[in-house]
Amino acid sequence: MALLQIAEPGQQELQPHIKNIAIGIDLGTTNSLVASVKSGRAVVLNDYDDNSLIPSIVHYGPQEILVGKAASAQRAVDPENTIASVKRFMGRSIKDLPATHKYPYKFIDNSDNNNRHDDDNNIDNDSGDSCANNQNKIINIMTQQGKKNPIQVSADILLYLKQIAIARLGEEPTGVVVTVPAYFNDSQRQATKQAAIFAGLNVIRLLNEPTAAAIAYGLESNNEGTFLVYDLGGGTFDVSILRLNRGIFEVVGVSGDTYLGGDDFDQIIYDIIVEQINYAPKHDFKNSSETEQIRQAAKIIKEQLSLHENVHFTLKLDNQELNHEFNINITRAEFNNKSAELVSKTLTLIKKALRDAKLTPQSINEVILVGGSTRMPNIRQALTEFFAKPPLTNLDPDKVVALGAAILADVLVGNRRDDWLLLDVAPLSLGIETMGGLVEKIIPRNSTIPISKAQEFTTYQDNQTAMSIHIVQGERELVADCRSLAKFSLKGIPPMVAGAARIKVVFQIDADGLLLVSAAEETSHTASSIEVKPSFGLTADEISQMLSDSISHAPDDMNNRLLSEAIVDANALIKTVNNAIAKHSNLLDDTQQQQIMIAMDKLEKIIQKNTLALPSEQPQIHMPHNTATTDKLEDNLDIKAQTAYIKQLTKSLNELTQNFAAALMDEAVRVGLTGQRIDKI
Amino acid sequence: MAITVTENAALRIARFIKNRGRGVGIRLGVKTTGCSGLAYKLEFVDEINPDDEVFESLEVKIIVDKKSLQYIDGTELDYTKEGLQEGFKFTNPNVKDECGCGESFTV
Amino acid sequence: MNKENELAKLHKKLYKILTEDAFTVFEIPPNFDLMSASTPLNNKLHELQKKFHPDNWTSNPSIYGLITRVSSHINSCYQELKNPLSRSLLLLKLNGFHLDLAKNTQMPQAFLFEQMEFHELLDEAANDCDKLEQLEQNLENKQKTVIEELGSLFNQKQFEQALELTKQLSFYQKLADLISRQYP
C-alpha cells in the first residue's frame, strides 16, 4: 500500500492512476536491473523467470535477438554474436580499449574518412581535423544481424527491461532514471542517453550510480551525515562522498576509474586457471568459446572464494575431441595475494576523493557498498581497516543502485512532494585547448551541477572570421591526455581588427551531467547563437539513421503495449466479477448470472488467444523488426483489431455488472445495519 | 470485527489532530472506481454523519461510513517510515489484489 | 489571463537573476570577508536551489530550460564566492579594477624566488604522498596569510594593494592545482 497522509475533509485526491509510473534502470556492465516505487516502496521488478539480475548480454541470432539469461546461454556457444559487457564500449573508440584484453567479436574498422556535411551554420563540427573525430569514432561490431554499435546493443537491453517493467506494472512508464558510473565522461553519458531514447524511454535523468546507492541508503536510515560509496561494478570503479543535511543530498567528491572493475578480479582467477591447466596436458586456448568457459568458471570460483577459504573446481571443456577435465584448486590466500594490488588501487582512489572533499577517513559516518564484487572478503577487510568501522551491508549491493534510481524517478515524475533535493556534481573537469596543446579549465571537477560558465574569446588576427574551439574533459594538463569531446569552428565572425571581436561561449553542464555549448559574437548583432552537442563519435547522419530505425519499429511496440494494457484491464475485471459472484451470487437472478458468465467467457477466450503476444509469456524478446516486412502489416492490423475487440468486450462486461455492483453496495449497507445497536443508527 | 490502529498510528493521529487544532477523529473510507478497483481515503473528521460507524482504538476515534466498512472491516492502520516516505499504511484483510502502484485494490 | 501574468512575472524574475552578480544572488554585502553574511554560504545555496533547481520544475517543461540556466548561475555564483581568488577578482571588478591574470606576470622578485623553490620541491615530491601533503600544508599556510591580508585590504578599500595580492593568490592556486595532480 502506498503510504497515506490525513487530508482535510473532502480535499483528498481520490483518483488513483493519475499517478505517473516511474522506473529506475541500473544499466550495468554485467547485469542490469529495473526497479519502481510500488505502494510507496522501491522494489526491483523481476524478469519472467523471477530473476532480479538480468545479464547485460545480447545475442544476435540468425532470426531473433535474445537478451538476458537466454543470451547468456549463447555466450559459450556463439561468442561472436553474443555481446557482453557492452558498457565498456560505450562512448569509446577501438583505440580506447585496453590492448591486453581479448574480445571474441568482429570489430569493424571504419577508418575511412566519413564525409561530414557542411552546412551554413556558423558553427559546425570540424571535419578537416582528424584529431577529435577519429579519436571518437564509434565501435562497430559485425553480427548475424548486421553492424551493431554499443548504443544499439544497449538499446536492446533497455528495451527488454522496459518490457519487463510494462509486464510487471501493467503500464508504460512515463519517466525513467538511468544510472551511469559517476566517472562516465560526456561521450559515455551521451551514448547512454541516446540508447535509452532508441529504446523508446523517456529519460528524465541520468543519475550517478553511487549517488543512487546513497539515496537508497541515506533515505532509509534517515541519518544525517557523510557517506562514502564504494562502487565496484563489473567494469568500473567509483567512489563518491555525499552529505545528507537538512533535506539536501549533496555530493561533495567523486573519484574513480573506468578501467577497473570486478572483471579484473575475475581475470586474476582466469590467469590462475590457465596457469594451473598448463601444467596439465598442454593445450592451445585460442578458441574463444573455451576462453569463455574458463571465464565463466573464474566467475563461479570468485563467488565461491567469498564463502570458502579453499575452492576445488572441476573444469570441463566441451569442445574437445578428447573430453578434457581439469582439477582446479585455488585458495583465498592466493587470490587475496594476487588481487592485493587491485584492492590498494581502489584505496588510493578513496584517498583522492577524501582529499578533494577535504575530509579524513574518520569523518565518514558510513561506508556503503555497491556491486556484487564488494562481497569479496578482502575488500570488506581492507575497508574496515581503512575506516576503522565495517561497511554497511543491509541493502543488497547488487540492487541498491536500481532502488535509488527508482526513488529519484518517482520524485521527478511528481509522485511525491518530499522536501529533499539532490545536488550532484560533475566528476571531471571541463576545459578547452589553449596554445601549445595545453588545457585551460573552464569548469573544475566536483562542481555542483547544473552549472554554466561563460568564456570570452577574441580574434588574434585582423579580419579573422573563424576560430576553432576544442573542448576536452579530464584532469591532465595536456590536451592529448584528456578526452576530446568536441571540436568545432565558430564561423561568420564579422571582419574586425585583432582583439576587437568578443565571442562569448557558454559551457553548460545540465543536471544529467551533459554538456551543451552555445556561442555568439557580442559586438555585432548578426551572429546567432547555436547549440553544439558533442558527438560522441557518431556523425549526424549515423544518428538520424539510427533514430529512424528505432522509430520505424515504434508502431509495433505501441500496438503490443496497447494490447497488453487491454489484457491487464480485462483480467482485473474478470477477477473482481468472479470474486463477487462467488460471494454474492444470491444478488443475481439466473438470467443475469448467465449473461455475465457468457460475457466473461468470451472475454477470457480472446485473452487466452492473445496472451501469447504478451511479453510475460515469452522469456525472450523477439524484436518485431526481425519478422519479414511483408507480414508485418497484417500482424499489426491483427493486433489492433484484437485490442479493440478486447476493449469492447471489457466494456460490455463492465456495463453488465454495473447493476450487480450497485446491488453489492446496497447489500453491504443492509448487512452493516443489521445487528447494530439502535443508538448508532 | 472492527478497525484498529497501532500504537504508533494512534500517537501520530493524536498529534496531527492536536496540531490541526480541531477534529473529533479521522475518517477511513474507500472510494469505488468502477467495478475494477477501490481506493482508500483518509481524512480529518469535524462532524460525524448519521450513517457513520465510530470505532475507538487506543483512545483514537476512527470514523467509517457504512458503505466503506465492508471493504475495510478488520483493517489495522499503522504509521510507518519507508525510506523517504512516512505515512499511514492499511493492512486490510479483505484485499485480494492490488494494482501496480498499490493505490487501488480489489476485494 | 492571471496565469499568463504570473508566468510573465516569473520569467522576468528569472531573467533578472541571470544578470545579477554573485553577491546580489546570494544576498550578501559585497565584501571579501564572508563572515558578515547572515546565513552561511552553503545554507544560502541550499535555500536558493530548493527554489530554483530544475528537479523542482519537472512539471513545467516550458520553463525548464530557463530554470536550468538560473540554477546553473546560482551554482556558478556559489563557486565564485567560495573560491577566494574568484571572489577577490569579482570584488575588484565591482570596484572598477580589472585584472587579466593571463597578462599579469610581473611579480616581485622575492615572490618569484619563493615560487621557484616551491616548484623544485614539487618535482622532488612527485608521487610521494607524505611529501606532497607537507607541501600542500605549507602552501595552504601561505594562502591563509594572503587571504587574511586581502580581507583587511578590502575592508580599508585599498583596491590597488588588493589587486597585487590577488595576483599572488593566483600563483598559489595554480601551484595547489599542480600539487593535487601529482598524487599517484
Side-chain angles (χ1 to χ4, degrees):
Chain A
M1 248 319 287
L3 298 183
L4 290 181
Q5 308 301 327
I6 310 176
E8 283 302 313
Q11 297 287 300
Q12 191 168 335
E13 185 52 72
L14 286 171
Q15 211 55 40
H17 296 296
I18 56 151
K19 201 176 148 107
N20 297 310
I21 298 286
I23 57 172
I25 289 180
D26 174 4
L27 185 62
T29 307
T30 320
N31 293 303
S32 295
L33 295 94
V34 54
S36 184
V37 173
K38 265 171 106 174
S39 308
R41 170 186 281 154
V43 288
V44 173
L45 305 173
N46 290 356
D47 73 357
Y48 311 116
D49 301 322
D50 222 23
N51 298 309
S52 42
L53 269 65
I54 290 132
S56 304
I57 303 175
V58 182
H59 171 68
Y60 292 97
Q63 296 297 324
E64 67 208 352
I65 298 176
L66 305 179
V67 181
K69 222 175 148 190
S72 181
Q74 294 294 320
R75 244 188 128 179
V77 185
D78 185 10
E80 209 175 275
N81 292 297
T82 309
I83 299 167
S85 301
V86 70
K87 194 174 179 179
R88 286 182 178 236
F89 303 155
M90 289 293 264
R92 289 206 167 122
S93 69
I94 296 257
K95 278 182 213 149
D96 294 329
L97 303 180
T100 48
H101 205 94
K102 298 260 184 299
Y103 296 98
Y105 316 126
K106 270 193 248 167
F107 291 112
I108 304 165
D109 188 21
N110 43 358
S111 49
D112 56 316
N113 246 344
N114 214 317
N115 281 334
R116 291 201 171 196
H117 57 106
D118 241 281
D119 46 32
D120 299 331
N121 280 349
N122 299 35
I123 304 165
D124 62 274
N125 288 345
D126 249 1
S127 51
D129 198 309
S130 62
C131 169
N133 291 326
N134 274 356
Q135 192 188 325
N136 285 2
K137 201 87 205 134
I138 198 164
I139 291 170
N140 272 304
I141 296 168
M142 186 48 83
T143 72
Q144 288 181 96
Q145 301 241 349
K147 212 167 82 171
K148 296 284 172 191
N149 65 42
I151 298 176
Q152 291 167 311
V153 179
S154 301
D156 286 335
I157 298 170
L158 288 166
L159 189 59
Y160 183 66
L161 296 173
K162 179 184 162 189
Q163 291 183 351
I164 292 171
I166 293 172
R168 290 283 166 197
L169 301 171
E171 269 171 85
E172 172 119 355
T174 43
V176 182
V177 168
V178 181
T179 61
V180 289
Y183 236 53
F184 252 22
N185 64 32
D186 190 75
S187 315
Q188 293 165 308
R189 282 166 199 267
Q190 295 278 7
T192 305
K193 191 164 185 178
Q194 199 68 60
I197 292 168
F198 288 157
L201 294 166
N202 171 29
V203 187
I204 43 175
R205 170 61 47 82
L206 294 179
L207 175 64
N208 291 330
E209 284 159 12
T211 309
I215 288 175
Y217 258 107
L219 302 173
E220 188 201 62
S221 63
N222 217 12
N223 279 338
E224 300 210 324
T226 308
F227 302 87
L228 182 135
V229 183
Y230 182 96
D231 178 358
L232 186 62
T236 55
F237 175 67
D238 281 330
V239 182
S240 283
I241 300 171
L242 299 98
R243 207 174 277 144
L244 179 56
N245 182 23
R246 293 178 303 129
I248 298 270
F249 231 114
E250 193 175 16
V251 181
V252 291
V254 175
S255 120
D257 186 341
T258 41
Y259 288 111
L260 175 64
D263 295 357
D264 295 306
F265 289 84
D266 294 351
Q267 185 67 36
I268 285 172
I269 295 175
Y270 178 93
D271 291 342
I272 298 174
I273 297 174
V274 169
E275 197 187 305
Q276 287 195 3
I277 55 188
N278 270 354
Y279 289 122
K282 286 234 179 324
H283 201 83
D284 183 14
F285 290 104
K286 266 187 213 139
N287 189 317
S288 53
S289 86
E290 276 169 21
T291 311
E292 200 40 58
Q293 286 171 34
I294 300 174
R295 207 170 287 287
Q296 286 181 9
K299 264 191 173 28
I300 297 167
I301 294 171
K302 184 180 83 173
E303 279 161 25
Q304 286 296 310
L305 278 173
S306 291
L307 305 168
H308 310 284
E309 287 287 342
N310 202 334
V311 174
H312 297 280
F313 191 85
T314 311
L315 176 69
K316 284 184 198 146
L317 296 179
D318 315 329
N319 291 1
Q320 294 303 308
E321 318 79 54
L322 299 163
N323 195 16
H324 274 303
E325 266 195 21
F326 302 97
N327 284 314
I328 315 279
N329 186 21
I330 299 179
T331 65
R332 192 187 279 176
E334 182 184 10
F335 172 64
N336 286 356
N337 194 16
K338 287 196 167 148
S339 59
E341 203 183 312
L342 288 177
V343 177
S344 95
K345 224 170 161 180
T346 67
L347 290 181
T348 306
L349 289 163
I350 290 178
K351 286 179 201 156
K352 187 177 163 218
L354 288 169
R355 214 166 34 237
D356 281 350
K358 300 203 186 319
L359 292 170
T360 60
Q362 290 76 38
S363 51
I364 299 295
N365 299 95
E366 300 286 3
V367 179
I368 294 169
L369 297 181
V370 181
S373 296
T374 58
R375 291 199 178 88
M376 287 188 281
N378 52 343
I379 286 179
R380 294 195 172 180
Q381 180 66 28
L383 289 174
T384 307
E385 277 167 23
F386 187 79
F387 290 102
K389 65 169 85 73
L392 287 179
T393 50
N394 42 325
L395 286 181
D396 186 335
D398 283 319
K399 294 181 181 168
V400 58
V401 167
L403 295 176
I407 294 171
L408 185 67
D410 197 45
V411 170
L412 292 185
V413 298
N415 282 346
R416 49 210 230 190
R417 281 245 144 260
D418 287 292
D419 195 25
W420 66 282
L421 180 68
L422 171 67
L423 297 178
D424 215 331
V425 301
L428 298 160
S429 300
L430 193 76
I432 48 166
E433 179 172 353
T434 61
M435 305 251 254
L438 292 174
V439 180
E440 184 187 336
K441 272 187 196 167
I442 304 271
I443 297 175
R445 74 161 190 273
N446 288 336
S447 298
T448 307
I449 52 173
I451 196 161
S452 61
K453 187 84 180 273
Q455 192 91 351
E456 251 182 36
F457 298 89
T458 189
T459 47
Y460 56 91
Q461 273 177 349
D462 287 349
N463 298 328
Q464 184 182 342
T465 57
M467 68 165 55
S468 174
I469 293 176
H470 186 193
I471 307 170
V472 297
Q473 203 167 29
E475 309 312 318
R476 309 281 294 275
E477 282 170 275
L478 293 177
V479 167
D481 296 332
C482 288
R483 175 82 198 181
S484 165
L485 290 185
K487 196 168 190 184
F488 58 91
S489 10
L490 225 56
K491 292 176 186 170
I493 302 169
M496 282 183 253
V497 288
R502 276 173 55 214
I503 296 126
K504 191 180 176 193
V505 180
V506 179
F507 302 86
Q508 153 108 51
I509 298 178
D510 67 12
D512 288 330
L514 294 175
L515 172 67
L516 209 65
V517 184
S518 57
E521 204 288 314
E522 295 216 304
T523 53
S524 71
H525 299 284
T526 48
S528 59
S529 156
I530 285 166
E531 283 174 351
V532 176
K533 272 189 185 168
S535 60
F536 60 88
L538 279 179
T539 63
D541 285 349
E542 279 172 316
I543 291 178
S544 61
Q545 180 58 44
M546 283 165 67
L547 252 180
S548 71
D549 279 358
S550 67
I551 286 166
S552 65
H553 309 314
D556 300 340
D557 283 355
M558 179 78 164
N559 289 333
N560 281 328
R561 177 170 69 79
L562 290 175
L563 174 64
S564 141
E565 280 174 6
I567 292 178
V568 169
D569 287 348
N571 273 329
L573 181 60
I574 289 174
K575 218 175 198 173
T576 317
V577 175
N578 263 332
N579 282 340
I581 289 182
K583 269 197 244 159
H584 303 282
S585 59
N586 59 317
L587 294 176
L588 293 170
D589 64 38
D590 284 354
T591 342
Q592 284 171 325
Q593 198 164 336
Q594 207 175 5
Q595 276 176 340
I596 291 175
M597 285 306 200
I598 291 170
M600 266 207 295
D601 198 46
K602 247 186 181 168
L603 188 54
E604 268 174 342
K605 277 204 180 112
I606 186 87
I607 289 173
Q608 217 161 35
K609 195 177 143 202
N610 279 286
T611 304
L612 282 176
L614 258 185
S616 55
E617 292 298 317
Q618 33 185 162
Q620 317 136 359
I621 50 165
H622 295 272
M623 304 287 280
H625 55 277
N626 298 316
T627 55
T629 30
T630 40
D631 38 73
K632 204 153 112 185
L633 193 67
E634 232 185 303
D635 270 358
N636 279 351
L637 277 178
D638 196 35
I639 288 178
K640 271 189 189 164
Q642 302 281 4
T643 310
Y645 191 42
I646 291 173
K647 278 195 165 165
Q648 188 204 323
L649 289 179
T650 310
K651 199 176 156 219
S652 52
L653 178 61
N654 209 353
E655 278 162 6
L656 256 176
T657 52
Q658 207 96 73
N659 289 334
F660 184 34
L664 270 178
M665 279 303 254
D666 291 343
E667 169 76 359
V669 176
R670 198 182 56 76
V671 171
L673 292 184
T674 42
Q676 295 295 324
R677 281 180 311 179
I678 196 80
D679 59 319
K680 284 245 173 140
I681 296 174
Chain B
M1 291 294 264
I3 307 282
T4 54
V5 296
T6 63
E7 204 171 311
N8 203 7
L11 224 74
R12 294 292 174 153
I13 293 167
R15 196 180 304 164
F16 283 135
I17 291 176
K18 194 174 161 233
N19 286 345
R20 186 169 174 262
R22 66 200 154 89
V24 295
I26 56 157
R27 176 180 301 282
L28 259 68
V30 293
K31 180 186 154 107
T32 50
T33 55
C35 204
S36 52
L38 296 162
Y40 295 111
K41 72 175 174 187
L42 189 60
E43 293 177 350
F44 291 110
V45 178
D46 291 322
E47 232 175 284
I48 298 173
N49 299 325
D51 69 333
D52 277 340
E53 189 82 15
V54 181
F55 299 95
E56 219 175 289
S57 169
L58 299 172
E59 292 174 17
V60 171
K61 278 201 175 64
I62 303 140
I63 293 107
V64 186
D65 69 278
K66 296 206 165 80
K67 279 202 176 189
S68 294
L69 189 58
Q70 86 161 107
Y71 299 104
I72 56 172
D73 200 6
T75 291
E76 185 189 60
L77 188 65
D78 189 17
Y79 190 87
T80 61
K81 199 177 269 185
E82 285 176 356
L84 256 189
Q85 258 204 337
E86 44 186 301
F88 291 93
K89 187 176 179 168
F90 290 70
T91 310
N92 184 352
N94 306 300
V95 171
K96 296 283 187 301
D97 198 20
E98 277 182 5
C99 76
C101 70
E103 278 197 357
S104 70
F105 60 94
T106 52
V107 294
Chain C
M1 200 55 210
N2 222 341
K3 216 172 177 185
E4 269 170 39
N5 269 342
E6 295 236 321
L7 202 66
K9 249 166 89 186
L10 181 63
H11 266 264
K12 216 172 138 190
K13 186 179 170 192
L14 295 174
Y15 276 113
K16 188 170 161 268
I17 296 173
L18 285 176
T19 62
E20 287 172 349
D21 69 69
F23 288 108
T24 315
V25 170
F26 276 75
E27 290 173 349
I28 46 176
N31 199 340
F32 187 77
D33 188 359
L34 294 178
M35 288 312 186
S36 56
S38 54
T39 15
L41 206 56
N42 197 251
N43 291 6
K44 187 70 193 176
L45 172 74
H46 293 170
E47 193 185 298
L48 287 167
Q49 290 296 7
K50 274 196 174 172
K51 266 191 233 164
F52 298 111
H53 195 280
D55 280 359
N56 290 334
W57 296 81
T58 43
S59 53
N60 253 324
S62 67
I63 216 165
Y64 194 79
L66 181 56
I67 284 288
T68 300
R69 282 172 63 196
V70 170
S71 176
S72 300
H73 182 59
I74 293 166
N75 280 332
S76 307
C77 287
Y78 173 70
Q79 223 167 44
E80 194 175 16
L81 291 179
K82 206 174 99 179
N83 181 308
L85 176 61
S86 52
R87 186 166 73 237
S88 175
L89 287 173
L90 174 64
L91 264 180
L92 287 169
K93 200 175 112 189
L94 290 176
N95 287 288
F97 289 81
H98 189 71
L99 175 58
D100 188 351
L101 289 173
K103 286 180 190 154
N104 260 292
T105 43
Q106 278 197 336
M107 300 298 291
Q109 202 164 25
F111 181 78
L112 289 178
F113 275 130
E114 187 198 75
Q115 283 286 306
M116 274 158 66
E117 206 176 314
F118 260 121
H119 278 277
E120 273 166 28
L121 284 171
L122 183 58
D123 283 341
E124 286 169 26
N127 285 323
D128 183 336
C129 281
D130 291 341
K131 277 190 183 164
L132 283 169
E133 264 165 36
Q134 203 189 333
L135 200 57
E136 221 165 28
Q137 194 56 53
N138 278 348
L139 187 63
E140 210 161 281
N141 292 340
K142 292 247 180 231
Q143 289 200 60
K144 216 179 239 169
T145 323
V146 171
I147 288 167
E148 272 166 25
E149 217 172 312
L150 266 177
S152 61
L153 284 175
F154 274 114
N155 273 342
Q156 295 155 27
K157 303 206 181 301
Q158 295 183 314
F159 299 116
E160 263 151 61
Q161 280 107 310
L163 191 135
E164 287 309 309
L165 218 50
T166 305
K167 282 192 220 165
Q168 288 195 16
L169 193 59
S170 86
F171 274 88
Y172 286 142
Q173 213 150 85
K174 254 183 227 156
L175 207 52
D177 193 35
L178 273 179
I179 293 174
S180 75
R181 288 179 184 185
Q182 294 305 315
Y183 279 97

